[in-house]
Amino acid sequence: SFLGKHGDASAIPTVTTALEDKDPLVRQEAAAAIAKLNGKKAVPSLINYVTRFSDKADQEAGKAALMTVLDNSGIPELLPVIKNGSTAARVTAIDLIGWNSDNQYFPLVLQYVSASEPEVKMSAVKAIKNLASRNDQENIMTVLNKETESSVVSELQTALSAAALKNPDAEKRSDVILKTAASVGSPEFRKKIIPVLARTDGREALQLVTGEFRNGDTGMKSIAFNALNNWNDHSASSSLYEICASGSDSHKDQAFDGYVRQIRAAGIPDDQKLLLLRKIMPFASTTEKKARVIAETGRVRTYPALFYTGTFLDDAKLSSEAARAVMNIALPAAGTSSGLYGKIVRDLLVKA
């Protein structure tokens, strides 16, 4: 490590030999040092190191060193390791190819999603999310349709959404997934792609998920609701509102929370945000829920929001939250002088 830090090129043969030392700590220090001393020229020695020594610490040391010197030109040297290396070395090679994010290796790594060794399989599944392009969605879904292991399904869903989100047209990001869902037709497959649609978004995706919530069996209904509740933007708030308005659905309390959360995060004009918060207030069935809507309204720094929150100052159960909201709206934000002014504003502040 000392030699590596001080860049003594004459030490390269000694450090290279140390990669085969009996002491694992010496090997691991040598891996870091050779990368610093020899740069990209150290790649063959480091690949030989991870091929020879399968201990986790050796693999981590070799991978960390390779990440400092490996580029596209060195990736082909990892291919024989994937084919013939130990399980540990194959995992490291796949990890590195995934880290490098070169799409040309997607077909190769996808093959190992079906590997018999669990470690290799999971490494491949995690790697493909970095390797996949939007043109690889159908291949990912072919594997996803057959997979039953929940942890692998989750990683494949992440890879599928990553690939779909590479489409620059936001409204078309779900198109390939929706087309495949229609052609496959299997409810079990739709259960796997619905969480992905929550990330890829779009009007047709929202329609499909909302329809599955309305018409699906208990399992489908639960999956669809979770997708609506965790939708990528506030467009699913309309569906959550319908669930709240239904009055009898077992999901209405969670739907209320999801609706308020989505409106809070929505990048929409303040006047629209206020209207949407007022819209949900009739379905705030408890004092706590009403207080939450008032608190969120307190983040909308407009006169209409101020006047609306002011109407709750006389409610004994809500007056404290209303007072905080009124002050938050009317008074200048920290470091600014842009508060709200006028007699009505003053009267509300005094009342608060």
Side-chain angles (χ1 to χ4, degrees):
S1 179
F2 175 82
L3 294 172
K5 287 179 182 177
H6 289 76
D8 187 350
S10 66
I12 289 175
T14 301
V15 176
T16 301
T17 301
L19 285 170
E20 300 181 10
D21 196 274
K22 293 180 180 180
D23 187 336
L25 293 178
V26 172
R27 297 195 299 266
Q28 292 151 29
E29 289 289 338
I34 197 67
K36 292 174 182 175
L37 288 169
N38 216 14
K40 289 195 290 186
K41 293 180 181 179
V43 169
S45 297
L46 288 168
I47 290 177
N48 182 63
Y49 166 52
V50 297
T51 302
R52 288 197 61 187
F53 298 97
S54 296
D55 286 353
K56 182 177 180 180
D58 284 307
Q59 293 297 315
E60 290 299 324
K63 181 164 66 174
L66 280 163
M67 283 179 171
T68 67
V69 294
L70 197 62
D71 60 16
N72 288 346
S73 65
I75 293 295
E77 296 186 56
L78 292 169
L79 303 186
V81 181
I82 294 181
K83 186 175 181 181
N84 302 313
S86 66
T87 297
R90 293 167 74 199
V91 167
T92 294
I94 292 171
D95 286 349
L96 287 166
I97 289 175
W99 163 79
N100 189 58
S101 302
D102 189 337
N103 175 250
Q104 69 173 305
Y105 296 106
F106 173 85
L108 170 68
V109 174
L110 187 66
Q111 297 176 38
Y112 291 93
V113 172
S114 302
S116 58
E117 305 99 317
E119 302 92 337
V120 173
K121 178 174 183 175
M122 187 54 70
S123 175
V125 170
K126 290 181 176 180
I128 62 172
K129 67 176 176 285
N130 295 326
L131 299 170
S133 74
R134 60 175 170 152
N135 297 321
D136 296 313
Q137 293 177 70
E138 291 181 1
N139 290 324
I140 297 172
M141 284 187 281
T142 298
V143 178
L144 178 60
N145 190 26
K146 298 174 183 177
E147 185 57 55
T148 57
E149 187 178 339
S150 60
S151 60
V152 178
V153 167
S154 178
E155 292 290 346
L156 288 169
Q157 289 168 331
T158 300
L160 179 57
S161 63
L165 289 170
K166 289 178 181 176
N167 188 333
D169 188 337
E171 189 54 41
K172 294 183 177 179
R173 286 173 181 161
S174 297
D175 284 4
V176 176
I177 301 172
L178 292 169
K179 182 180 178 181
T180 304
S183 64
V184 173
S186 161
E188 291 307 310
F189 177 67
R190 290 200 301 277
K191 288 178 181 178
K192 292 176 180 177
I193 58 96
I194 282 174
V196 180
L197 294 174
R199 305 170 199 169
T200 55
D201 200 7
R203 287 188 296 271
E204 289 185 29
L206 181 57
Q207 289 170 6
L208 183 146
V209 177
T210 301
E212 294 291 357
F213 176 79
R214 290 171 180 161
N215 306 314
D217 60 25
T218 302
M220 180 70 83
K221 197 179 186 76
S222 177
I223 291 170
F225 176 76
N226 286 335
L228 294 171
N229 206 28
N230 294 287
W231 206 257
N232 189 44
D233 60 20
H234 78 287
S235 59
S237 63
S238 58
S239 297
L240 294 173
Y241 175 83
E242 289 178 11
I243 296 169
C244 292
S246 70
S248 60
D249 195 280
S250 61
H251 294 90
K252 65 179 181 178
D253 288 337
Q254 287 178 278
F256 179 91
D257 293 339
Y259 178 99
V260 174
R261 186 181 65 253
Q262 288 187 13
I263 299 307
R264 176 182 181 178
I268 55 178
D270 282 345
D271 288 344
Q272 185 180 352
K273 187 168 287 192
L274 174 60
L275 288 172
L276 291 171
L277 288 170
R278 294 188 65 169
K279 182 179 179 181
I280 200 65
M281 183 59 103
F283 305 106
S285 55
T286 65
T287 299
E288 182 183 0
K289 291 183 185 302
K290 291 174 183 176
R292 185 175 176 193
V293 175
I294 293 169
E296 293 303 330
T297 307
R299 299 173 181 274
V300 181
R301 304 175 70 85
T302 66
Y303 285 99
L306 177 70
F307 302 149
Y308 178 63
T309 55
T311 64
F312 297 97
L313 288 171
D314 293 324
D315 187 320
K317 294 180 178 179
L318 298 170
S319 58
S320 295
E321 194 60 61
R324 281 192 289 270
V326 164
M327 288 187 285
N328 191 54
I329 295 169
L331 298 177
T336 72
S337 58
S338 57
L340 303 184
Y341 302 95
K343 182 179 183 305
I344 298 177
V345 176
R346 186 170 61 254
D347 291 344
L348 285 172
L349 285 170
V350 170
K351 192 173 183 179

